[in-house]
């Protein structure tokens, strides 16, 4: 007998029929003798509906009232799922975040979990009940309802699994696992049986949307075995293993686990910056002050002269504002220079713990791209990731070429473009 | 400075525009220097939408899960109203029933309030805040969300007013007060400036839908001044005064305060029942066992013989089932007899504390009806009410004739039919 925490997202509970399907899936596990805690999100579309209502009333409501409002979304789902389970003959009880005792700080709309009371849950489980918990929400010390921010239901699932010392936290989504890259871009993409937490984090921060970064971090920190699988199809999904378990994986695994990419960023370059200490902070300080997040940063080593080029990327949404800040205040105060920007770029990242022990991944990556005639605009590396910025129009070509070159293609797919 | 509890029903908060209008109304009171606690229902249609969702999943869900589900309706409204108040510059905080500490028993879907914690509310009020509380809901000792049953928001309002010792509980509805009778049936109906709790109870139980009976009872028990007024129009509405304040009313007030009526009932008569002790309970026992509620009961005194006729009314919805029970089990076991039924009836009731000290109301009522050629099928009386059952088709005629005969007509209306 195992204890599973199963989390179902908004699409998986998006209609009466899908809620019934989730109940059947949970029932199957329970009938195999397992204990099950289910965490659910709001039905898809519901959170947006509520936010829309609020926006028609007040364009700047207090975060406390926003949390009061949107937390109703999950409360609807937990009661409906408990009813669906009861209908199939499975005893079930639902709990809001506050009821289950998911205690958070008071940072409304982005609260962090501080501790979870599990006594009542355990008692219900020991009495043969399935427990249904509202994801995404908690309660602070003063009894105010808080939310963990968008996607926080994954975090609720992992945190509950950690608190209950569950055997596995299963995240059911609309994809059947983690892929070597996005199958919509590369038809030869392959589902991974497993991936390490570290790789998953790099994949997520590089554009793969399967899991919330916070949930993966949480799973890594508390050593919660985490599995991503499909709500709609059978299959084993992808197991996300703690980093120290990586050795157990097949030695024949390729160097690279996956290729992530995104086109959400724009690149800005300040040309001819004086190459003196403090320049980077002079450039980035006012940008951080404007609450603009910077992703990649590259500063070329100054050649003979005293000037250098400073390049960084920001979210496309922040592109115009960043350019204005650079042109109007930063560059003049640095004494001249020129700002160049490009928002037609893509970032493509190779991710894999195998890189640690194998040299030459970067040079092989650059050669593959060169062979396809793709110019590299920026490079940044971490211990298990290499990211390049290229022209947006080459993105699909780059992903497919790298996917094949690094041995990630499915074996059962014939050559296609 | 006064403390008002203001309750707004589902129609009054049925859209973004109406929520904004409620915020403006509340703001006006607050700007006059008053403290205001607002109690709101779910937006109109929302509770039915949720019940519909549940019914598609489980035709017999546990009451606990139903309460979990439908209580989200008010939670949405309180947060939206708090946001609307904040937008107009009024500091406001919303509370669910559980948060405010409305402690109830555990009778899910029809819980009764046991006590209310008011410390936090008072603190907010003293800090200049408007407090917005979810009507209709509470929490039991184990932390389960409970609901007070349909219309329970009125009860929440009155109970909060009692607990806070408020100066007045104002119930805002889609009508501008309590009328002598339904203006849709009798155009000469007149709004009452005041009515006693006892009269209001008789009116409500006889078909007038303005207020929930429980809320009125609560107001009477705890001497809470209760006022019914319109969300949409200006006006003083109708003040419902405690019974011992009735003497303060104008001595020129007519004998009768109002005429209530309904067509929701059906009448059943068991003819030729043996006139022996225990017959009534033999007839009504199995009907109560089937959870059918009986309203009026009339048993004629047996004439010379040993047989009598036993007549009672039930809800029209229970008519067929009641007739079947009578015919299949009760009547045969009583040794014969015959069952006659009629579901084309109306009940018309005169209500007024003035009746107590004035004889002859009944005979005057019967004469008015006789003059219109209306046959009386049943009569039952209480200290301040006389109800008659007549053929449904005569209902409007009876109401209008009685309204005029007992001096209830508005003075500014010309004679019409």
């Amino acid at each position: 007998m195992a204890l599973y925490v199963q989390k179902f997202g908004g699409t998986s509970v998006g209609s009466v029929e899908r809620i019934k399907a989730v109940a059947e899936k949970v029932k199957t596990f329970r009938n195999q003798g397992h204990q099950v805690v289910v965490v659910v999100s709001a039905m898809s579309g519901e959170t947006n509906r509520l936010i829309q209502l609020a926006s028609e009333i007040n364009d700047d409501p207090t975060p406390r009232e926003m949390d009061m409002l949107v937390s109703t979304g999950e409360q609807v789902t937990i009661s409906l799922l408990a009813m669906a389970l009861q209908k199939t003959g499975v005893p079930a009880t639902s709990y809001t975040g506050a009821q289950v005792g998911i205690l958070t700080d008071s940072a409304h709309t982005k609260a962090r979990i501080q501790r979870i009371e599990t006594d009542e849950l355990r008692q219900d489980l020991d009495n043969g009940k399935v427990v249904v918990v509202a994801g995404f929400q908690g309660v602070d010390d003063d009894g105010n309802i808080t939310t963990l921010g968008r996607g926080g239901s994954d975090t609720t699932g992992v945190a509950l699994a950690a608190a209950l010392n569950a055997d596995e936290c299963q995240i059911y989504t609309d994809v059947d696992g983690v892929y070597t890259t996005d199958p919509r871009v590369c038809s030869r993409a392959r589902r991974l049986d497993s991936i390490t937490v570290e790789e998953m984090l790099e994949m997520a921060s590089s554009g793969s949307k399967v899991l919330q970064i916070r949930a993966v971090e949480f799973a890594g920190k508390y050593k919660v075995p985490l599995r991503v699988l499909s709500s709609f199809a059978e299959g084993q999904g992808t197991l996300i293993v703690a980093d120290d378990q990586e050795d157990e994986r097949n030695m024949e695994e390729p160097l690279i686990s996956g290729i992530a990419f995104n086109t959400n960023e724009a690149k800005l370059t300040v040309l001819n910056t004086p190459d003196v200490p403090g320049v980077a902070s002079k450039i980035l300080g006012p940008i951080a002050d404007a609450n603009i997040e910077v992703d990649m940063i590259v500063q070329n080593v100054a050649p003979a002269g005293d000037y250098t080029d400073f390049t960084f990327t920001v979210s496309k949404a922040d592109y115009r504002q960043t350019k204005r800040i650079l042109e109007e205040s930063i560059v003049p105060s640095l004494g001249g220079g020129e700002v160049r920007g490009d928002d037609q770029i893509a970032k493509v990242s190779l991710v894999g713990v195998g890189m640690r022990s194998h040299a030459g991944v970067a040079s092989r990556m650059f050669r593959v791209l060169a062979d396809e005639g793709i110019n590299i605009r920026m490079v940044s590396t971490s211990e298990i990731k290499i990211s390049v910025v290229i022209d947006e129009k080459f993105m699909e070509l780059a992903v497919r070429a790298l996917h094949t070159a690094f041995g990630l293609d499915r074996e059962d797919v014939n050559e296609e473009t």
Side-chain angles (χ1 to χ4, degrees), chain A:
Chain A
M1 188 188 74
L3 169 54
Y4 291 109
V5 174
Q6 304 186 317
K7 182 261 169 177
F8 293 88
T11 314
S12 307
V13 293
S15 68
V16 161
E17 275 58 48
R18 288 190 170 177
I19 289 172
K20 289 178 181 171
V22 167
E24 289 297 336
K25 199 178 270 284
V26 170
K27 181 184 184 174
T28 304
F29 272 85
R30 184 176 169 278
N31 286 355
Q32 288 163 0
H34 303 305
Q35 294 184 326
V36 185
V37 174
V38 190
V39 175
V40 286
S41 305
M43 294 171 75
S44 54
E46 180 64 5
T47 305
N48 286 335
R49 182 182 77 86
L50 294 168
I51 291 173
Q52 174 62 29
L53 271 179
S55 73
E56 290 170 25
I57 284 180
N58 189 333
D59 46 14
D60 186 26
T62 59
R64 180 188 184 279
E65 299 302 331
M66 278 307 286
D67 282 354
M68 178 71 91
L69 179 68
V70 297
S71 63
T72 61
E74 293 78 35
Q75 191 172 330
V76 167
T77 320
I78 55 172
S79 53
L80 292 178
L81 179 57
M83 291 176 193
L85 284 161
Q86 288 165 0
K87 178 73 180 178
T88 69
V90 173
T93 307
S94 70
Y95 294 102
T96 63
Q99 285 177 328
V100 88
I102 297 180
L103 291 153
T104 72
D105 58 25
S106 299
H108 284 290
T109 76
K110 47 180 191 292
R112 299 206 150 251
I113 296 174
Q114 291 181 323
R115 64 179 194 280
I116 298 182
E117 312 282 353
T118 57
D119 291 356
E120 199 165 359
L121 290 195
R122 285 208 180 278
Q123 201 175 319
D124 281 344
L125 291 171
D126 291 343
N127 288 335
K129 283 187 184 174
V130 166
V131 177
V132 184
V133 178
F136 172 70
Q137 57 181 244
V139 64
D140 73 6
D141 281 338
D142 295 324
N144 298 302
I145 295 172
T146 55
T147 68
L148 311 178
R150 282 252 164 168
S153 291
D154 286 358
T155 308
T156 303
V158 175
L160 270 171
L164 288 163
N165 199 18
D167 294 283
E168 196 168 282
C169 178
Q170 303 180 331
I171 310 277
Y172 288 85
T173 68
D174 47 4
V175 297
D176 66 352
V178 180
Y179 275 70
T180 49
T181 195
D182 188 337
R184 285 168 301 187
V185 163
C186 177
S187 62
R188 285 167 288 186
R190 194 165 42 82
R191 184 181 57 75
L192 295 162
D193 286 332
S194 69
I195 186 171
T196 71
V197 166
E198 210 175 351
E199 287 171 330
M200 195 65 210
L201 287 175
E202 291 283 14
M203 291 287 279
S205 66
S206 304
S208 170
K209 296 275 164 46
V210 178
L211 283 179
Q212 283 295 309
I213 290 182
R214 265 172 82 186
V216 178
E217 282 173 348
F218 222 101
K221 187 168 170 189
Y222 292 99
K223 310 272 184 239
V224 175
L226 187 63
R227 189 180 292 276
V228 177
L229 57 186
S230 167
S231 298
F232 309 113
E234 296 296 312
Q236 291 304 303
T238 300
L239 184 65
I240 296 148
V241 296
D243 299 329
D244 51 12
Q245 294 177 285
E246 68 179 89
D247 292 343
E248 295 167 22
R249 296 202 298 169
N250 189 341
M251 294 304 287
E252 297 297 315
E253 286 276 328
L255 286 179
I256 301 302
S257 289
I259 303 176
F261 54 85
N262 75 67
T263 55
N264 310 331
E265 296 183 29
K267 173 170 84 81
L268 289 133
T269 301
V270 184
L271 293 171
N272 297 324
T273 319
D275 186 23
V276 293
V279 156
S281 74
K282 267 190 195 147
I283 292 176
L284 296 181
I287 291 169
D289 290 346
N291 279 318
I292 294 168
E293 265 189 62
V294 171
D295 179 28
M296 292 171 78
I297 301 171
V298 174
Q299 188 178 5
N300 296 338
V301 176
D306 301 332
Y307 287 82
T308 178
D309 299 337
F310 188 91
T311 304
F312 60 93
T313 63
V314 295
S315 159
K316 248 179 203 169
D318 295 325
Y319 175 60
R320 288 185 181 284
Q321 193 192 351
T322 310
K323 196 149 185 279
R324 201 169 49 241
I325 294 174
L326 286 176
E327 284 167 345
E328 291 177 5
S329 62
I330 299 172
V331 168
S333 80
L334 288 173
E338 188 191 339
V339 178
R340 287 210 188 136
D342 187 354
D343 63 353
Q344 302 294 309
I345 60 165
K347 185 169 93 168
V348 176
S349 307
L350 296 187
V351 175
V353 291
M355 261 186 239
R356 279 198 190 117
S357 46
H358 288 77
V361 170
S363 63
R364 191 156 139 204
M365 181 186 196
F366 300 159
R367 194 170 62 242
V368 170
L369 295 176
D371 287 350
E372 300 289 343
I374 299 170
N375 234 348
I376 297 168
R377 306 289 181 188
M378 276 175 95
V379 178
S380 91
T381 60
S382 79
E383 205 186 2
I384 65 164
K385 181 179 75 169
I386 305 173
S387 298
V388 297
V389 168
I390 58 175
D391 288 352
E392 186 170 359
K393 63 184 174 188
F394 293 130
M395 188 190 77
E396 286 86 352
L397 175 61
V399 170
R400 290 182 197 130
L402 291 167
H403 201 268
T404 301
F406 281 91
L408 297 174
D409 288 357
R410 286 164 58 188
E411 284 163 9
D412 57 337
V413 177
N414 292 326
E415 197 70 24
E416 324 163 23
T417 311

